[in-house]
């Protein structure tokens, strides 16, 4: 029922947007496109980049933005572990796989595959397709280019599918506007060596494309369509500037399982698997510059709005970095302790399973003391992070609880001042797992003793539960 409702919503967006743009509406064909979009967005590893996300990004005002948003995340190779079978056929004429990388086909090179040559032996490798050429020109991509997952690969392939899907319904100039919006969603791009931002380079390409493809835009119209692209792109990343850092962390926790698929196996992912997902996110946030998250072009948005977006993004990143640092220290202790049992130990073995309504199970936090902070908090940042650890994020996730009782116990015991040095020791341990006991010896002995004792009590509770089952069985017999 939910699938059908989302497909109906997508179809309504397609139909109303195309009608507003004066295009041709063909309901049966648009139904097929809506089904393709929603089925792809409901892939098994889509936690954040879902159908709800594309509806939020598109808004409901500008039909170009609505259409661009529907298609902008259709291809997400890292999340889907490849290109969905349902959409791959639309891309095969234009890209190929070479040593596990996607490459734009060359204009003159013929493929070596004999069977492929039998099929298209009279054609060049890259077909002469005007709509594809338009998309490639908007992105500035040339034949033979190796696509990068972090350099527009997903956005480019999504735009190709958008253009080919919408070609029967809309003119080339409109599809170019949609493509420009999708190009602008390539995230976190630094200023080019020549000093131009990514959005300024897009503007330059659109000026050239307008002449090359005879699209009929005047200079003012090109500026406005770039501003529209900025609006859409900024809406795509608006969670970075959430006024509540808990909302930002909720989205962060939804992003992690998209590229760490082990986390989707609730109660069976390993301690190391969970740690790797935290490491990836913490590494990304340490690398990310707040100024690269949002874009600005000719006062869209205005200077004050842009400055506020950057300031809130910087604050949220600082909160997330400290929060993830404490979580990494916690998982380092649990991982080091787990090595006393073996390798690849499930996190649920050390902490207990996620609680399910109707079932009473013991968890590690049941055996930890409710300790008062041993060290005073020195900043608002520390207070906020402690609240996030103790009280929790806004939402539970499917693979994790929203609060962090073990991390709360640890940080109240060692204080925030120790986190930087502690995290360095944890990173050294992650790089050399054989140093697990050395890492544990660096930790405060009472902290390690309390946590290891809690794990043993958790094991005892399981032993007791099994003993009850045995007793019941004997009574029945």
């Amino acid at each position: 029922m939910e699938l059908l409702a989302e497909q109906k919503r997508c179809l309504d967006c397609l139909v109303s947007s195309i009608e507003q743009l004066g295009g041709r509406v063909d309901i049966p064909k648009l139904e097929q496109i809506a089904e393709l979009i929603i089925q792809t967005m409901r892939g098994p590893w889509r936690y954040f980049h879902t159908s709800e996300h594309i509806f939020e990004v598109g808004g409901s005002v500008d039909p170009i933005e609505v259409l661009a948003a529907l298609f902008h995340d259709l291809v997400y190779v890292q999340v889907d572990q490849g290109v969905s079978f349902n959409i791959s056929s639309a891309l095969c004429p234009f890209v190929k796989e070479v040593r596990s990388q996607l490459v734009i086909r060359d204009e003159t090179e013929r493929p070596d595959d004999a069977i492929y040559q039998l099929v298209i032996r009279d054609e060049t490798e890259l077909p002469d397709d005007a709509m594809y050429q338009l998309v490639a020109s908007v992105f500035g991509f040339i034949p033979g280019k190796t696509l990068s997952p972090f350099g527009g690969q997903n956005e480019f392939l999504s735009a190709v599918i958008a253009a080919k899907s919408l070609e029967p319904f809309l003119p080339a100039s409109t599809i170019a506007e949609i493509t420009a919006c999708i190009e602008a969603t390539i995230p976190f791009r630094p200023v080019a060596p020549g000093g131009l931002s990514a959005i300024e380079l897009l503007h330059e390409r659109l000026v050239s494309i307008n002449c090359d493809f005879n699209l009929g835009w005047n200079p003012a119209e090109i500026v406005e369509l770039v501003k529209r692209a900025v609006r859409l792109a900024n809406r795509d990343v608006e969670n970075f500037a959430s006024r509540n850092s808990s909302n930002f962390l909720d989205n962060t926790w939804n992003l992690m399982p998209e590229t760490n698929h082990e986390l989707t196996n609730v109660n069976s992912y390993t301690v190391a698997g969970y740690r790797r997902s935290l490491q990836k996110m913490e590494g990304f946030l340490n690398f990310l510059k707040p100024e690269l998250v949002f874009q600005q072009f000719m006062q869209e948005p205005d200077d004050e709005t842009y400055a506020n977006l950057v300031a809130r993004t910087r604050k949220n990143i600082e909160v997330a970095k400290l929060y993830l640092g404490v979580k990494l220290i916690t998982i380092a202790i649990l991982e080091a302790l787990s090595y006393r049992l073996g390798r690849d130990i499930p996190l649920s073995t050390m902490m207990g399973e996620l609680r399910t309504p109707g079932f009473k199970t013991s968890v590690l936090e049941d055996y930890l003391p409710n300790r008062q902070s041993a060290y005073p908090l020195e900043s608002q940042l520390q207070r906020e992070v402690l609240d996030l650890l103790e009280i929790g994020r806004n939402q539970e996730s499917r693979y994790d609880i929203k609060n962090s009782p073990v991390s709360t116990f640890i940080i109240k015991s060692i204080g925030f001042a120790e986190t930087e040095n502690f995290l360095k020791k944890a990173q050294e341990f992650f790089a050399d797992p054989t140093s697990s006991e050395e890492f544990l010896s660096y930790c405060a002995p009472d902290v390690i003793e309390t946590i290891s004792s809690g794990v043993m009590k958790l094991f005892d509770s399981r032993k007791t539960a099994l003993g009850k089952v045995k007793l019941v069985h004997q009574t029945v017999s």
Side-chain angles (χ1 to χ4, degrees):
M1 185 64 70
E2 184 180 349
L3 172 63
L4 294 177
E6 289 182 357
Q7 289 179 185
K8 175 64 166 57
R9 184 179 180 185
C10 184
L11 176 62
D12 290 343
C13 289
L14 287 166
V15 171
S16 63
S17 297
I18 292 172
E19 286 178 342
Q20 289 178 63
L21 294 167
R24 186 178 69 87
V25 171
D26 184 329
I27 297 297
K29 289 183 179 179
L30 291 175
E31 283 178 337
Q32 293 175 1
I33 295 173
E35 181 180 0
L36 176 74
I37 291 172
I38 297 303
Q39 287 198 348
T40 302
M41 300 307 295
R42 288 173 63 89
W45 295 298
R46 298 278 186 138
Y47 277 64
F48 178 83
H49 295 95
T50 61
S51 52
E52 187 58 37
H53 174 66
I54 62 177
F55 295 135
E56 290 174 354
V57 171
S60 59
V61 176
D62 188 310
I64 297 289
E65 294 179 29
V66 171
L67 291 173
L70 291 179
F71 288 93
H72 84 288
D73 277 335
L74 202 58
V75 176
Y76 214 129
V77 174
Q78 306 95 294
V79 174
D80 299 327
Q81 289 192 327
V83 179
S84 166
F85 180 80
N86 290 335
I87 60 178
S88 60
S89 59
L91 298 172
C92 283
F94 310 109
V95 295
K96 61 184 178 181
E97 186 174 340
V98 179
R99 292 184 290 276
S100 299
Q101 290 183 298
L102 296 180
V103 179
I104 297 176
R105 294 188 182 278
D106 195 271
E107 288 181 317
T108 57
E109 174 191 354
R110 294 180 181 274
D112 295 330
D113 189 280
I115 296 177
Y116 193 90
Q117 288 190 31
L118 286 173
V119 178
I120 60 166
R121 59 180 179 271
D122 294 325
E123 299 180 13
T124 57
E125 188 179 3
L126 185 67
D128 184 14
D129 186 290
M131 200 54 61
Y132 168 80
Q133 294 297 337
L134 178 61
V135 172
S137 298
V138 172
F139 277 75
F141 287 0
I142 61 174
K145 175 182 175 60
T146 298
L147 299 176
S148 165
F150 307 105
Q153 169 185 271
N154 298 321
E155 294 79 5
F156 173 67
L157 298 179
S158 297
V160 170
I161 296 172
K164 296 304 295 179
S165 298
L166 297 174
E167 185 178 14
F169 314 109
L170 295 168
S173 60
T174 303
I175 291 176
E177 294 182 54
I178 293 167
T179 301
C181 285
I182 296 175
E183 196 279 346
T185 65
I186 302 173
F188 317 133
R189 289 177 286 181
V191 173
L196 295 180
S197 68
I199 205 69
E200 289 169 332
L201 291 172
L202 174 61
H203 176 257
E204 286 193 347
R205 290 196 300 274
L206 291 175
V207 170
S208 298
I209 291 164
N210 184 42
C211 297
D212 295 342
F213 290 85
N214 194 28
L215 298 177
W217 300 323
N218 63 45
E221 287 173 331
I222 297 175
V223 168
E224 288 306 312
L225 71 88
V226 175
K227 287 184 176 181
R228 177 201 287 129
V230 168
R231 286 195 297 272
L232 181 104
N234 286 348
R235 218 160 38 237
D236 191 28
V237 292
E238 65 182 0
N239 72 91
F240 277 89
S242 296
R243 297 179 186 277
N244 185 328
S245 56
S246 184
N247 292 334
F248 174 65
L249 283 172
D250 284 335
N251 286 315
T252 301
W253 248 245
N254 283 332
L255 281 167
M256 287 201 298
E258 289 198 333
T259 52
N260 300 275
H261 295 164
E262 184 180 352
L263 296 181
T264 60
N265 300 316
V266 177
N267 287 325
S268 64
Y269 55 81
T270 63
V271 180
Y274 184 75
R275 180 258 298 171
R276 284 190 292 268
S277 69
L278 294 177
Q279 270 187 298
K280 285 182 185 178
M281 186 57 69
E282 194 253 358
F284 164 69
L285 291 175
N286 272 297
F287 165 81
L288 183 61
K289 293 180 173 61
E291 296 81 8
L292 299 182
V293 176
F294 291 91
Q295 303 186 62
Q296 185 185 34
F297 181 77
M298 293 191 178
Q299 288 297 297
E300 178 57 57
D302 62 65
D303 289 339
E304 182 180 358
T305 300
Y306 179 74
N308 287 335
L309 290 171
V310 173
R312 292 201 299 269
T313 298
R314 179 175 286 107
K315 184 254 187 181
N316 283 332
I317 290 176
E318 288 303 311
V319 169
K321 283 162 56 177
L322 183 55
Y323 178 87
L324 284 164
V326 176
K327 298 278 282 188
L328 278 168
I329 291 169
T330 303
I331 203 67
I333 292 173
L334 290 170
E335 186 172 359
L337 288 172
S338 76
Y339 282 0
R340 293 176 176 177
L341 303 176
R343 295 295 182 265
D344 295 327
I345 301 298
L347 184 58
S348 59
T349 298
M350 304 297 294
M351 295 189 66
E353 293 189 351
L354 296 177
R355 282 175 167 158
T356 304
F359 291 89
K360 173 63 176 175
T361 56
S362 294
V363 292
L364 177 57
E365 67 178 282
D366 296 338
Y367 307 104
L368 298 179
N370 185 15
R371 179 167 291 182
Q372 297 297 312
S373 292
Y375 301 88
L377 299 175
E378 299 176 355
S379 66
Q380 178 59 34
L381 174 63
Q382 292 180 1
R383 291 186 184 88
E384 188 164 351
V385 170
L386 181 57
D387 282 345
L388 286 165
L389 293 169
E390 188 167 21
I391 300 170
R393 305 181 303 274
N394 286 339
Q395 300 174 1
E396 302 278 4
S397 70
R398 281 183 270 180
Y399 65 94
D400 200 5
I401 59 175
K402 66 179 183 179
N403 63 326
S404 306
V406 183
S407 294
T408 300
F409 165 75
I410 291 171
I411 205 63
K412 283 184 173 181
S413 301
I414 68 172
F416 281 100
E418 268 297 300
T419 54
E420 186 174 348
N421 290 332
F422 214 143
L423 187 56
K424 287 179 182 177
K425 292 292 183 181
Q427 299 286 10
E428 291 172 6
F429 159 56
F430 297 149
D432 178 18
T434 62
S435 65
S436 58
E437 291 300 322
E438 180 183 343
F439 169 70
L440 289 174
S441 68
Y442 173 81
C443 306
D446 66 313
V447 170
I448 301 304
E449 172 60 29
T450 301
I451 294 175
S452 59
S453 174
V455 173
M456 287 187 285
K457 290 175 181 176
L458 178 62
F459 290 169
D460 286 340
S461 73
R462 291 165 173 162
K463 180 180 177 181
T464 301
L466 286 171
K468 289 180 180 178
V469 171
K470 181 179 179 181
L471 180 61
V472 170
H473 177 72
Q474 290 173 342
T475 303
V476 171
S477 299

